Amino acid sequence: MAEKRCSISVIVNGQRWLEEGEALVASNAVPRAWSLCGLQDQVRLIVGSKLGYTFDNTDFVEQRWCRAKSNTGDAEAVTTGFSVVTTPHIAGTDPGAGLSLDAVEIAATTDTQVIVTVGSQMTWLPLRQKLEARGIELFELLLPATGKVVVSTERVTDIRELARQHHNDGHGQALFKAAPVLVVDTASGASGAVAAAGNETLGANAARGTVKLLANGYGMIKRKDGLPDVQFMATQVTAPGFEFLEEGDELRFDVVQVGSGKWLAQRVVRM
C-alpha cells in the first residue's frame, strides 16, 4: 500500500513577511528574525496537525515568494527553494490582492491538495468556491497590523501573534529555524543550500519532554509544556534508535494527529 502523502503549495506576500519580521525583532518581541525554512516547517506542522499528515509525508509542489520589486528576502527565498515572482499589487498596506490570481494559477496547473497563503487573506468568494470545487484545502497564515483583531478558525492562524507569544515553545519555535546559507564549491562552481549546523537543523521538533515509560515497541513522553503525556512508536525514533532510549532521557518531537484521531509523538529525537 502506497504511503499517504500530502502535496502543498505555499504563496508568501514577501513584503509583508519581511516588514512584520523586522518589526517583531525591533520591538524585542522575539530574539531574532524568523526564516523561510522555519516557515516551511511551520506549514508542514500546521497541515499535519489539522489534516492528519505527519511532518515527513508532506511535500511542497510549489513555493512562491511574491513581491512588488526586489527586496532583501529574495536571496533567502531562492536558497530555500521558492520561485521569486514579481506581483505589482503586493504592499504592506495591501491584504494580498496580488496573491489571489497566483493561487488560482497554482491550483489550475499543479497537482496540489493544500494551498497555504502567508500575509494575505482570500476575500474573493469565487476563488474560494473554485478551490472548494477542486477539493483543495486552504490555510491562511495572516500577518495583521498591530492592534487588528483576527477571528481565529481552524484554517486561519495569526502567525505574527504565534511568533510573539510562543517563539520559545510549541509550534511557534519552528518559525525560527536557522536560515540556510548558500555554499559554493570553488572547484566545480556548483552551489547549493545547506542548513546551519547544530540543533537548529531540527528546528521543527518544537515540543519537548522526557521519557516516562518504555515498553515493547512504544513509549510514553511526559511533556514539558504541561499538556497530557503523549505516546510514540519505536519506528518514529531517529537514529541511533528506540533501543538506545532510557527512562528520563530528554526528547524533542512533533505531535501529530493520525488517521484514527489519536495524537502521537513523531520524529522523536533524543537531545
Side-chain angles (χ1 to χ4, degrees), residues 22-82:
E22 291 168 355
L24 285 170
V25 174
S27 64
N28 295 317
V30 296
R32 59 185 174 87
W34 48 33
S35 70
L36 283 174
C37 62
L39 173 65
Q40 289 172 333
D41 283 354
Q42 181 68 26
V43 166
R44 293 166 80 175
L45 286 167
I46 287 175
V47 171
S49 64
K50 298 297 184 184
L51 298 181
Y53 293 93
T54 68
F55 185 93
D56 290 324
N57 63 11
T58 56
D59 301 308
F60 293 116
V61 296
E62 180 74 14
Q63 298 185 115
R64 296 200 176 188
W65 172 260
C66 303
R67 77 281 201 270
K69 58 184 179 180
S70 298
N71 60 42
T72 56
D74 287 358
E76 185 189 350
V78 171
T79 304
T80 316
F82 282 77

Side-chain angles (χ1 to χ4, degrees), residues 8-194:
I8 308 171
S9 292
V10 182
I11 312 161
V12 180
N13 182 330
Q15 194 60 42
R16 288 296 310 278
W17 175 260
L18 282 177
E19 289 174 355
E20 296 304 325
E22 291 168 355
L24 285 170
V25 174
S27 64
N28 295 317
V30 296
R32 59 185 174 87
W34 48 33
S35 70
L36 283 174
C37 62
L39 173 65
Q40 289 172 333
D41 283 354
Q42 181 68 26
V43 166
R44 293 166 80 175
L45 286 167
I46 287 175
V47 171
S49 64
K50 298 297 184 184
L51 298 181
Y53 293 93
T54 68
F55 185 93
D56 290 324
N57 63 11
T58 56
D59 301 308
F60 293 116
V61 296
E62 180 74 14
Q63 298 185 115
R64 296 200 176 188
W65 172 260
C66 303
R67 77 281 201 270
K69 58 184 179 180
S70 298
N71 60 42
T72 56
D74 287 358
E76 185 189 350
V78 171
T79 304
T80 316
F82 282 77
S83 299
V84 178
V85 180
T86 300
T87 313
H89 302 293
I90 296 296
T93 56
D94 181 18
L99 298 185
S100 297
L101 186 59
D102 203 42
V104 172
E105 179 184 350
I106 289 174
T109 60
T110 63
D111 183 20
T112 188
Q113 297 167 269
V114 178
I115 289 181
V116 178
T117 61
V118 183
S120 68
Q121 193 162 20
M122 296 292 189
T123 56
W124 187 37
L125 184 58
L127 172 60
R128 288 184 174 272
Q129 292 173 333
K130 180 172 182 178
L131 298 181
E132 184 178 351
R134 290 177 57 89
I136 297 173
E137 306 279 358
L138 175 64
F139 285 80
E140 296 166 298
L141 307 186
L142 305 184
L143 294 166
T146 303
K148 181 178 178 180
V149 177
V150 176
V151 178
S152 179
T153 72
E154 64 175 11
R155 299 297 173 87
V156 177
T157 301
D158 180 347
I159 200 166
R160 190 180 192 276
E161 188 65 15
L162 176 70
R164 191 177 73 83
Q165 296 286 352
H166 302 289
H167 62 82
N168 202 34
D169 61 89
H171 283 180
Q173 189 183 56
L175 287 166
F176 300 94
K177 183 176 181 179
V181 295
L182 192 64
V183 176
V184 178
D185 185 335
T186 54
S188 65
S191 62
V194 298

